[in-house]
Amino acid sequence: MEQIASFLHEKIIDCAVIDAKNCLDFKLDFLDWFFVNLYENNEFDLLISKQTNIEKIGVVTNSQWLYCKKRFNNATISFIREFKSIDQLIADYSAVILPGYITYDSKYEFYTEKINIADMQKPLFEGFACVEFRKNDERFTLLRQFFIKSVYFIGAGVGDKKYATQEAIDTIKHLEVCLFDNLMDHDLLDFFPDNAILVDVGKRCEHHKLNQSKITDLISTYARMGRVGRLKGGDPSIFGRLAEEIKVLEDLKINFNIVPGISTINTLSIKSGIILTRREVNRGFCVLSAIKHKGAAAEFSKSELSGLPLVFFMGVKVVDKISSSLINEGYSPQTKVALVFSIGTDKEFEIRGTFSDITCKVNELKSRLFYDNPPGIFIVGDISSFYYKKKWHPSG
């Protein structure tokens, strides 16, 4: 590895592809990397033998070795150190097991048997290669997007696991790594595959297992390796430090998806009976964190509260009236606003602007908006100008 790193640093080579297990503990500041799953879409390994009496077996992976140890009690099992042709391997061994991605659709004159990878209890990241390259090399940074999966930020819901959505459960069933919080039902962890890596990064008041920078480092590291999820209590976008965690992925051009969850706001009235909106009592509400940065108690002023973002439901057709009313109340005509339509569907879209131009922008799309009559919300305040980049990901 030292020689490979030297060649990369001196620009003798642009990248190196090595066995993933040989590079996990070898990271340098000038290197970037990602894993490639050689077993992707492959369900079997191939046992190739020249005789029914198998005495000496050659294997490539640890899971193959363990499988043979259980099945062929009296056979000698050793690792294939140098890859040769099948004919040459069979000359050295009475049988070999090779990864299916090498032997796929190949025909041999020897006896062959497909062995399901699921029966081998393959360790996590076995059969992965690691691609090492110099940091900030745009070619490989962009290429990486086609080989690694999107990171999932998943809302676990509030309290009991029954408040987790079906989408959340379906997602975590296929993850290889999960970083999870404290404020969630830990019974949800039972849905993960048996060999998944589960990392507790929960934070409670003044009791942090890991600080936020360590958590973002872990996310970016595991994101290069496999199917990674960040499981957060409630909804990940509400007081969940989501912006900081997706920022590191955007900088690395690593894609992500967000699975919304049921938040405390949604479930507040279940037992308390507190209905957040009542006709002729209040038309809306603001939601605030009582804790500032570094755990200090927040202080509130009337001017701060008056500057909070406003969220209007069912406001699409009266955007002009809302804008005029708030300008008359002292809001600047350049106040930033956004209209978001069909949230959570594949038809979701948005219009962004200011009080001074939003009505014009709505009128330009009037035929589309009022023909389909999509549901939308009107957001007022600087927060409306912030959003994460939605990307299509080629590998799911």
Side-chain angles (χ1 to χ4, degrees):
M1 276 301 301
E2 289 83 356
Q3 186 176 31
I4 291 173
S6 176
F7 285 167
L8 285 166
H9 191 256
E10 295 170 10
K11 299 185 179 181
I12 296 173
I13 60 175
D14 289 329
C15 77
V17 182
I18 58 178
D19 192 323
K21 66 175 177 285
N22 293 330
C23 70
L24 288 177
D25 298 322
F26 190 85
K27 302 298 175 208
L28 297 173
D29 290 341
F30 66 89
L31 288 179
D32 204 346
W33 56 280
F34 62 92
F35 279 8
V36 176
N37 184 359
L38 301 178
Y39 277 96
E40 189 77 33
N41 301 319
N42 179 63
E43 298 178 350
F44 66 89
D45 282 355
L46 198 66
L47 172 67
I48 306 171
S49 60
K50 61 183 177 183
Q51 58 194 42
T52 55
N53 184 23
I54 297 176
E55 298 177 347
K56 184 179 180 182
I57 307 174
V59 298
V60 178
T61 67
N62 291 327
S63 56
Q64 292 171 355
W65 191 93
L66 292 170
Y67 174 84
C68 291
K69 191 71 175 176
K70 292 179 181 179
R71 178 173 170 181
F72 305 103
N73 295 325
N74 299 319
T76 300
I77 308 164
S78 58
F79 285 95
I80 298 170
R81 299 301 179 187
E82 179 182 357
F83 186 80
K84 306 175 183 179
S85 69
I86 301 298
D87 290 330
Q88 289 176 310
L89 287 173
I90 291 298
D92 297 336
Y93 302 93
S94 52
V96 294
I97 298 184
L98 297 176
Y101 64 85
I102 295 176
T103 60
Y104 187 72
D105 280 345
S106 298
K107 305 296 182 184
Y108 304 107
E109 297 177 357
F110 309 105
Y111 171 77
T112 61
E113 176 191 346
K114 290 182 179 180
I115 303 173
N116 289 330
I117 291 175
D119 295 335
M120 293 189 181
Q121 299 180 330
K122 183 175 78 71
L124 196 60
F125 302 132
E126 181 179 274
F128 280 65
C130 181
V131 179
E132 299 262 9
F133 61 97
R134 289 184 295 278
K135 275 186 180 177
N136 303 318
D137 187 321
E138 292 187 4
R139 299 168 299 170
F140 290 98
T141 301
L142 292 173
L143 183 66
R144 174 166 57 193
Q145 298 179 59
F146 291 88
F147 287 95
I148 63 175
K149 303 296 183 182
S150 295
V151 175
Y152 282 86
F153 294 91
I154 308 159
V158 176
D160 196 288
K161 67 179 180 181
K162 67 185 178 183
Y163 295 121
T165 65
Q166 190 62 52
E167 183 183 6
I169 293 172
D170 288 344
T171 300
I172 64 181
K173 284 180 178 179
H174 299 94
L175 295 176
E176 293 165 326
V177 180
C178 176
L179 289 77
F180 64 92
D181 284 345
N182 273 327
L183 295 177
M184 50 167 272
D185 187 343
H186 285 202
D187 284 347
L188 286 172
L189 302 179
D190 294 338
F191 289 108
F192 284 90
D194 291 339
N195 66 341
I197 296 174
L198 303 180
V199 184
D200 184 355
V201 295
K203 293 185 289 185
R204 298 295 294 270
C205 185
E206 297 184 1
H207 296 283
H208 296 183
K209 293 182 175 69
L210 295 173
N211 61 34
Q212 189 61 44
S213 64
K214 292 287 187 182
I215 293 173
T216 53
D217 285 345
L218 282 175
I219 292 172
S220 65
T221 295
Y222 282 122
R224 296 169 165 95
M225 298 167 65
R227 294 183 177 90
V228 182
R230 176 75 170 96
L231 189 59
K232 294 172 174 283
D235 183 279
S237 65
I238 300 176
F239 302 134
R241 308 290 289 269
L242 179 64
E244 296 156 74
E245 294 180 3
I246 65 176
K247 174 66 166 57
V248 66
L249 298 180
E250 288 185 326
D251 290 344
L252 292 169
K253 294 183 171 61
I254 294 176
N255 294 291
F256 57 89
N257 288 295
I258 297 174
V259 178
I262 297 174
S263 73
T264 304
I265 299 170
N266 303 118
T267 57
L268 178 64
S269 64
I270 291 178
K271 293 184 179 179
S272 70
I274 298 173
I275 309 301
L276 290 172
T277 57
R278 290 178 178 270
R279 183 182 288 272
E280 298 184 4
V281 175
N282 66 307
R283 291 185 296 165
F285 55 91
C286 292
V287 182
L288 304 173
S289 170
I291 303 298
K292 295 195 300 185
H293 181 53
K294 297 183 178 180
E299 299 174 352
F300 304 100
S301 65
K302 185 175 181 180
S303 61
E304 179 188 6
L305 294 175
S306 66
L308 289 172
L310 307 175
V311 180
F312 295 92
F313 289 73
M314 298 169 288
V316 176
K317 293 187 178 182
V318 290
V319 165
D320 55 338
K321 294 182 179 179
I322 295 173
S323 300
S324 298
S325 175
L326 290 175
I327 289 173
N328 289 339
E329 289 297 318
Y331 278 75
S332 166
Q334 301 308 311
T335 299
K336 295 177 181 179
V337 297
L339 277 162
V340 187
F341 299 90
S342 303
I343 294 172
T345 74
D346 57 4
K347 296 181 179 179
E348 182 175 327
F349 71 100
E350 59 208 34
I351 304 172
R352 297 174 185 271
T354 64
F355 278 146
S356 63
D357 63 12
I358 193 66
T359 299
C360 180
K361 291 182 177 181
V362 169
N363 289 336
E364 290 174 357
L365 294 176
K366 185 173 293 186
S367 60
R368 174 185 176 185
L369 293 178
F370 302 141
Y371 174 78
D372 294 333
N373 194 28
I377 61 171
F378 186 38
I379 304 169
V380 175
D382 287 344
I383 194 173
S384 66
S385 64
F386 294 95
Y387 59 98
Y388 62 85
K389 300 172 185 176
K390 305 177 183 69
K391 300 177 182 178
W392 168 78
H393 188 260
S395 58

